[in-house]
Structures are given as structure tokens and as C-alpha cells.
């Protein structure tokens, strides 16, 4: 939010510099993120002076140029070549001297230099309005008043305003500070704490009066829940034209483009008092009737920017007897806006339901100054006051008459919220005791009325503009921010107790596995927990997605909580691939969210994403693509690092994978891994293979906590390795070979490893060859050949009898 310091000082006659004021505003919770200088004329006409045209003759080498001699207060007149058709002898004109920097309307700088134009020297430039930034006219040079002395700086001739603009990072709860008056009100409270008592100057409406009642209008509010208060008034005989410079400068300083005096007046009051207003062309209101209501879903409406919108059945509209005229509190319509031909208006000031306005604005993708304020909550008691203020201002700058009584539909009056503030809780939350008189003084400066006083605390009445103050803690927060966080004392000694923390705490295990993956070349990503409904259905096992839907989504693409971390990860993968980063190894810790009837659950996951090559391109290492086995090796590393050994593979069908397995421990699913379906990858425009592993982190944590850590000496007796080349049926798995080996020899067999697989010629049909190594060790003595041969013979016999294996 931008706040003009000059504008702010209309409410507080403050002599501080902008830096001091910014520091105090920041202390009050209105954080000033930056201060930007503003000039109504960029460059402030430095180097531009009044010149007197002594002579004006036709250029000897150009029909459309003039050769002038101009006195700018020096000893020798300047020769200036000028192409303006209206330049004449005897005129007083603005002259940009050599070295002067002028600015285009777009803000680009250009410097005046000595030059030759068609053979004649030119020592400056006689300027038009637009060249100086004083207007939009380029029909000819500016002609100044004849009484001006040559050489007078034009910065003294024209009223040029300099300002400083605060960029305030306004928190969403501070709806009361969404205006210059609101900021001034807060600033006054802060100044009072510094024992600087300055009167807050409220814009006067004492000269408001009704000139006649010639333009009457019927106003009906059909839904008073969505429009609790609606005010309006008519004005006639207006002259719509450019606004005066002071008004244009106020708007330009805060980044608004002036339009015309009527619209500018409504924008001025909006940023002055925080009350949005809207002016309708009275002559375009059919039936001289205004109806505040909702319309049927699907109704088309064209806004002021020319965009057509399809209305929702809950969108509140301002209509006449025949058609919609405005999306209430959001954006006006193209047919009833104020134009240069407008002579009479209906001026609207209202309070609309914040939730309704927010939903409508988000639904149509419209974010206006009006909707920004309405959806955060404005002051319902300020509606009529702002209407009078705007009417007076429009009369002042556009002429005309106020031609109707104020229409004020306010069926249910606002009751000020009451809170009881206890001194004990105030001191407890703040951390030190603040004198009761100081508390009362702060509350008075915030317009919070003290209705009753007891030994325990104060009965308070909260003003209507403080829509964020409802609880005792809210009042305490107000007291503390005005009192000053920096004024709260604190001890130099910090005492803290050390809580016993298990090594199996979630965050510790996350850090351990994160470090492991980072060492393997993985990068951690963090993605949004919100996703699109279509993504949920893509990864659901049935048409019932079980997804949790947001009540007030920011957009359709972010309207449900994710039930799988796949799609949000794929978005990151696609983002990188589109930027030629194609060899990716990502991991993410996150949660998924599920709904089963009325029960809602959230589950924690660790996900791995692998695609492209395993290593960077190098002369020393040949390129090798990632594959399922590379992913499985990473999964195995994680399980082993967590101390989980006893797992079994299960081939579970999944809507996510084209080929996959799941690893279980007892009945608990630990991880699913495989190659992602190409149909899912194509939705993200990913054209390369991608492998995905999804760990059930909650189950991993539970299993890890059951592990007991034990330590053993490294055996002093050597281990022995023996190999078999087994001829097996194609359907026989290594897991069967592995399990059978340990059933046959439980004591001395320490490991079984598959180090080669062969299929092809010279083998019988339906057969494959496994090269398997067996590691044997006795921790108490050295193994003898006789022991080893006996074990290997027993293994060979078992493989032949149970698996039909033969030695090659």
C-alpha cells in the first residue's frame, strides 16, 4: 500500500522528516518497506528558464523551421531553431538550456545538446507542454505570461510538487489502516506515547447541503445480508473534465492514473478515508431504479475494461430496472460509467459482505482497490460520511448541484463489540506491568472507549472500524504495539530446560536421510500441498478420489489437497526439463491428505524422482541412463540406513506406475517404486522415462523405533566365498534362491549375492543362468575345506530338489 507523506500531513501537522515518521509507523506495526521520492514534473524543470523571443525569422534552409533569437537573461541572446508553428516575436516561452535533462511521458531521459539543424546552430530548445511534462499538448510551444522576466527558472513559475511515498507492507488484519486517514489515526496514537499531542484533522462535511430534489431514484436492496448498508445520492449539472493539478498529483504520487474529475474524486476519497465509492451515469440508469440483488447463473456482464464475465448465482450485482450495471464492490460496468458527456450521476457508497466480495473477486480474477478493501472489512459507520465528503468534493471540482436526499438503507444497525480487559492477563502476555493510566491513555488514543472500571480490569467498547479486534488478546496486542515492543524490558540471562530427545525423532531421521540422499547427488524440493482436481482423479484407484476440497480456493488449479505427491513433483521435474536440466534426482518430505466419509487423515511421505543419466557427461565415465534398478538401490540404501532389513516384495497394481513393486515389512507397506506411466508424463509434457518411489514415512518411523542398536566386534577369522552358476527356470526369482539358502544354512552362511544373469543362446528354452556368490564365516574358528564342501553340497542338493536348479 502506498501512502503520500504530503497527503498524510493534511491530517497531522507534523514537522518530522519522512525517516522519523517511517520508523514510528514500523514500530506501530505498519511496516514501511521503502520510501520513494515523487515529483509532479520529473526533474523539477531544472535548467528550464523563461525566454523572451527577440526575433523570429524563416529558416534559410527549411520551410517549416524558424530561426529565433531568445533572451534568457544573459548578455548574449541564444540562437534556437524551432519547428513550432505558433512561435512568434515578443513571446515569453520556456527554454531548455544546453545540458538540461527532459523526460518523455514514459520516463525516459534525454539531454539537450548544442547542435546544427539544417546548417544553422541551435543553442537550446523552446518547449511544448508535453516536452516539459506539464500537459499532453504538442500542438505548439507554451506561451507564458508576458510579465515574467527572462531568465526566471520555470520551477518558480509552475507549481511543482515534491513528495515522498511510503510503501507499507500492510498485514491483512489491519483493514482500519487502508487509507491515509487510517494511517494518520495510528500515527497520532504513536505520537501521543512520545508525548507529542497533535490534533487529528478530520475532513469537514459541514458545508454539505441539498441544493434541490430534481433527480429522484428508487433504490431497493433485495439481499440485506450481502449488502447490510447501502447509501446513494444524485448530482446534476456536472462538467466532466480533467481534475485540478493538486488532485492529479495526489493520485499520481500513489501510482494511480487520473481519469476525469468525477472518477478521480471517488478514488481520492477511497484512498483518503478507505471507503470505496462508485459513480453511475444517471441518464443511463433504466427506469430510474437501482436494485441490489443476485442474478441467475450464466448471466453475461461486460466490465469497464471491456472483458465479458459469466456471473455466478452468488455474485452480488447493482442493477437498474432492466440490466446489471456493476459487480457490487468489485468492478463497474461498461454501459453506465462516467464519460466526458456525463452531466448527472448517481453516487454510491455501501458496505458489502467481505466473504461475498472476496469469493466474487477471486471467481472472476478481478483485484481492484475497492475489492481489496471490501473483502477485508471496511467501517460500516463511515459509509454516509464518505458519501457526503465525495459529494462535496465533486461539487467543488466539477460544479453542479446535489439533487436528492441521501438514500440510506441500513436495516440492522451495527452494535459496537464489547470486550473485558483484565490487567492480570495484560501484564502476563506483555511480560511486564504497564501502569493502568498508560493503558487507558493508549486505549483512548485508539478510540477504544472505557465503559467500566474495576480492580480486575476494564470494560471496553471497540470502534466499528476495528474489524480485527474481537478478543481480549486482540486488545492487548493493540496496547503493546502502541506502547512499543522496544520498550518491553527483558533479562540478560536466558534460562531454558533441555528436553530429552530420542534419536528416532522424526526431524532427526529426516535430517539423516536427507544427508544420505544429498551425498548421492539428490536435491531436495518443496512443492505445494494444493493441486488441481484432475490430478487427484489421475492418481485415484477409483472414481471416488477421497480428496479434501478447499472452501475458498485461490484458483481451480489449487482447489484440493493432494492425495499423492506425484503430480506436484512432476511439475518441478517438467520445470527443470523445460530449462534443459534433464538429469534429475529429487527428493521431498511432505504430506498427503485424505477424506473417508467424515474422517480426514494426513499421511507423511518421502518421495524420490529420478530421470535422465546417472552421472554428468564425462570422458572418464560412459553415459548410463537411470533405470528401475538404480532407483531400487537408492530405496535399499534408505531402508538399510534406517536399520530395516526384513522386507518382502509384492507386485501391487497401481494407477501411477507402468511397472512397479511394493516393499512390505509384515503387513505394513513401506515403499512403492517403479516407472511412471507415460500417459501421466505426457500431461506434463515430459518425454523421458521417470522413476518414482513413494515411502510411507509414518510406517518407516514406527519400524525404526522398534530397532535396537547393537554393536559387535569385527570377527578375527576370515570369511570364505564360493560361487555357483545355477541353471534355473525363467520364472524362478533371486528372492527364492536367497530365502532357500538361508533356510538350508542358518549358522555359517552370512550373505548371498547375485552378480551375473545370463539368458540367450547355448541355454535350453525357458531357462536362465544365475551366477551366485555365497559368503561363509565362523566367528569362533577358521573354516576348513571339509566344512565348506559339506555346506556347498547341501545347498546344491536343496536348489536341485526345490528349485530344479542344475550347476553349469
Amino acid at each position: 500500500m502506498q501512502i503520500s507523506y504530503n497527503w498524510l500531513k493534511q491530517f497531522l501537522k507534523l514537522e518530522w522528516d519522512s525517516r522519523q515518521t517511517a520508523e514510528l509507523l514500523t514500530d506501530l506495526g505498519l511496516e514501511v518497506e521503502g520510501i520513494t521520492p515523487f515529483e509532479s514534473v520529473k526533474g523539477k524543470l531544472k535548467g528550464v528558464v523563461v525566454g523572451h523571443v527577440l526575433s523570429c525569422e524563416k529558416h534559410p534552409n527549411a520551410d517549416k523551421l524558424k530561426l529565433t533569437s531568445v533572451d534568457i537573461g544573459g548578455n548574449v541572446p541564444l540562437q534556437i531553431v524551432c519547428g513550432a508553428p505558433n512561435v512568434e516575436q515578443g513571446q515569453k516561452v520556456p527554454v531548455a538550456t544546453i545540458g538540461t535533462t527532459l523526460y518523455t511521458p514514459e520516463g525516459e531521459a534525454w539531454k539537450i545538446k548544442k547542435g546544427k539543424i539544417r546548417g544553422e546552430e541551435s543553442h537550446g530548445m523552446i518547449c511544448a507542454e508535453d516536452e516539459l511534462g506539464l500537459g499532453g499538448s504538442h500542438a505548439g510551444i507554451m506561451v507564458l505570461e508576458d510579465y515574467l522576466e527572462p531568465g526566471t527558472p520555470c520551477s518558480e513559475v509552475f507549481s511543482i510538487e515534491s513528495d515522498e511515498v511510503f510503501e507499507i507492507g500492510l498485514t491483512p488484519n489491519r483493514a482500519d489502516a487502508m487509507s491515509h486517514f487510517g494511517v494518520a489515526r495510528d500515527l497520532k496514537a504513536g505520537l501521543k506515547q512520545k508525548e507529542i499531542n497533535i490534533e487529528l484533522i478530520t475532513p469537514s462535511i459541514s458545508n454539505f447541503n441539498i441544493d434541490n430534489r430534481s433527480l429522484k431514484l428508487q433504490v431497493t436492496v433485495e439481499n440485506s445480508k450481502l449488502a447490510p448498508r447501502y447509501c446513494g445520492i444524485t448530482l446534476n449539472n456536472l462538467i466532466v473534465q480533467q481534475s485540478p493539478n493538486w488532485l492529479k498529483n495526489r493520485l499520481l504520487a500513489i501510482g494511480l492514473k487520473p481519469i476525469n474529475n468525477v472518477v478521480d474524486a471517488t478514488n481520492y476519497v477511497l484512498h483518503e478515508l478507505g471507503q470505496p465509492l462508485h459513480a453511475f451515469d444517471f441518464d443511463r440508469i433504466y427506469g430510474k431504479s437501482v436494485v441490489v440483488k443476485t442474478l441467475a447463473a450464466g448471466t453475461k456482464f461486460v466490465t469497464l475494461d471491456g472483458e465479458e464475465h459469466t456471473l455466478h448465482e452468488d455474485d452480488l450485482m447493482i442493477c437498474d430496472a432492466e440490466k446489471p450495471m456493476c459487480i457490487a464492490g468489485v468492478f463497474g460496468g461498461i454501459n453506465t460509467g462516467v464519460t466526458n458527456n456525463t452531466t448527472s450521476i448517481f453516487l454510491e457508497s455501501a458496505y458489502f459482505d467481505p466473504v461475498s466480495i472476496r469469493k466474487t473477486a477471486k471467481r472472476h480474477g478481478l483485484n481492484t482497490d475497492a475489492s481489496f478493501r471490501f473483502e477485508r472489512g471496511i467501517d460500516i459507520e463511515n459509509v454516509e460520511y464518505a458519501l457526503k465528503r465525495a459529494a462535496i468534493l465533486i461539487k467543488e471540482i466539477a460544479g453542479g448541484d446535489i439533487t436528492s436526499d441521501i438514500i440510506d438503507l441500513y436495516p440492522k444497525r451495527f452494535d459496537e463489540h464489547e470486550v473485558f480487559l483484565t490487567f492480570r492477563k495484560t501484564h502476563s502476555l506483555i511480560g511486564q506491568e504497564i501502569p493502568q493510566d498508560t493503558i487507558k491513555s493508549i486505549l483512548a488514543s485508539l478510540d477504544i472507549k472505557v465503559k467500566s472500571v474495576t480492580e480486575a480490569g476494564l470494560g471496553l467498547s471497540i470502534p466499528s472500524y476495528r474489524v480485527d479486534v474481537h478478543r481480549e488478546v486482540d486488545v492487548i496486542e493493540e496496547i503493546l504495539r502502541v506502547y512499543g515492543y522496544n520498550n518491553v524490558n527483558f533479562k540478560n540471562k536466558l534460562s531454558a530446560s533441555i528436553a530429552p530427545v530420542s534419536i528416532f525423532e522424526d526431524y532427526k531421521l529426516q535430517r539423516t536421510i536427507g544427508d544420505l540422499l544429498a551425498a548421492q547427488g539428490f536435491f531436495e524440493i518443496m512443492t505445494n500441498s494444493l493441486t488441481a482436481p484432475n490430478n487427484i482423479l489421475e492418481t485415484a484407484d477409483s472414481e471416488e478420489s477421497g480428496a479434501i476440497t478447499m472452501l475458498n480456493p485461490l484458483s481451480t488449479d489449487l482447489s484440493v489437497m493432494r492425495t499423492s505427491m506425484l503430480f506436484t513433483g512432476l511439475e518441478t521435474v517438467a520445470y527443470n526439463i523445460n530449462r534443459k536440466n534433464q538429469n534429475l534426482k529429487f527428493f521431498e518430505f511432505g504430506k498427503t491428505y485424505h477424506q473417508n466419509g467424515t474422517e480426514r487423515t494426513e499421511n507423511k511421505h518421502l518421495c524420490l524422482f529420478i530421470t535422465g543419466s546417472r552421472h554428468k557427461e564425462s570422458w572418464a565415465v560412459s553415459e548410463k541412463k537411470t533405470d528401475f534398478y538404480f532407483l531400487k538401490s537408492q530405496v535399499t540404501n534408505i531402508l538399510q540406513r534406517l536399520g530395516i532389513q526384513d522386507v518382502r516384495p509384492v507386485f501391487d497394481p497401481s494407477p501411477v506406475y507402468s511397472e512397479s513393486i511394493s516393499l512390505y515389512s509384515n503387513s505394513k507397506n513401506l515403499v512403492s517404486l517403479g516407472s511412471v506411466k507415460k500417459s501421466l508424463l505426457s500431461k506434463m509434457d515430459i518425454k523421458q522415462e521417470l522413476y518414482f518411489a513413494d515411502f510411507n514415512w509414518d510406517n518407516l518411523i514406527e519400524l525404526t523405533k522398534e530397532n535396537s542398536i547393537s554393536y559387535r566386534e569385527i570377527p578375527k577369522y576370515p570369511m570364505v566365498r564360493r560361487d555357483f552358476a545355477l541353471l534355473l527356470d525363467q520364472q524362478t526369482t533371486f528372492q527364492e534362491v536367497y530365502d532357500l539358502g538361508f533356510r538350508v544354512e542358518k549358522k555359517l552362511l552370512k550373505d548371498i549375492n547375485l552378480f551375473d544373469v545370463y539368458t540367450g543362446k547355448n541355454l535350453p528354452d525357458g531357462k536362465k543362468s544365475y551366477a551366485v556368490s555365497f559368503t561363509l564365516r565362523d566367528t569362533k574358528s577358521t573354516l576348513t575345506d571339509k566344512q565348506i564342501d559339506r555346506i556347498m553340497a547341501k545347498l546344491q542338493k536343496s536348489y536341485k530338489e526345490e528349485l530344479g536348479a542344475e550347476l553349469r
Side-chain angles (χ1 to χ4, degrees), residues 33 104 122 188 202 220 247 371 480 748:
E33 298 174 341
T104 67
S122 183
K188 179 180 180 295
T202 304
T220 306
L247 177 52
S371 67
L480 179 55
L748 300 179

Side-chain angles (χ1 to χ4, degrees), residues 12-13 89 113 139 204 227 317 410 432 462 619 673 688 696 749 754 791 795:
L12 291 171
K13 300 302 182 184
Q89 182 180 348
K113 299 178 180 178
S204 174
M317 303 296 295
Y410 191 14
Q432 75 179 47
I462 310 300
W619 65 270
L673 63 149
Q688 58 193 62
N696 189 321
L749 183 60
L754 175 65
I791 293 170
L795 287 170

Side-chain angles (χ1 to χ4, degrees), residues 110-167:
W110 55 290
K111 201 168 187 178
I112 303 299
K113 299 178 180 178
K114 175 184 175 182
K116 275 191 177 184
I117 302 177
R118 302 294 290 270
E120 295 292 338
E121 289 188 356
S122 183
H123 297 266
M125 176 178 172
I126 305 175
C127 301
E129 269 188 15
D130 62 335
E131 291 164 338
L132 296 177
L134 296 172
S137 174
H138 195 69
I141 60 166
M142 289 187 72
V143 179
L144 306 178
E145 297 292 337
D146 195 53
Y147 66 84
L148 294 172
E149 290 294 325
T152 304
C154 282
S155 57
E156 298 176 8
V157 176
F158 299 101
S159 178
I160 299 173
E161 183 171 350
S162 297
D163 198 355
E164 292 175 288
V165 180
F166 299 139
E167 183 66 39

Side-chain angles (χ1 to χ4, degrees), residues 444-500:
S445 69
L446 293 171
D447 295 337
I448 298 176
K449 300 173 186 174
V450 178
K451 304 293 284 288
S452 61
V453 181
T454 67
E455 290 185 3
L458 304 172
L460 306 174
S461 178
I462 310 300
S464 58
Y465 64 81
R466 289 314 304 265
V467 295
D468 60 319
V469 179
H470 294 288
R471 305 166 298 168
E472 183 182 9
V473 291
D474 297 330
V475 178
I476 295 172
E477 181 185 3
E478 291 299 296
I479 293 170
L480 179 55
R481 72 178 182 84
V482 176
Y483 179 74
Y485 294 97
N486 295 331
N487 295 326
V488 177
N489 298 321
F490 59 91
K491 297 179 181 178
N492 293 327
K493 180 181 178 182
L494 179 64
S495 301
S497 58
I498 300 175

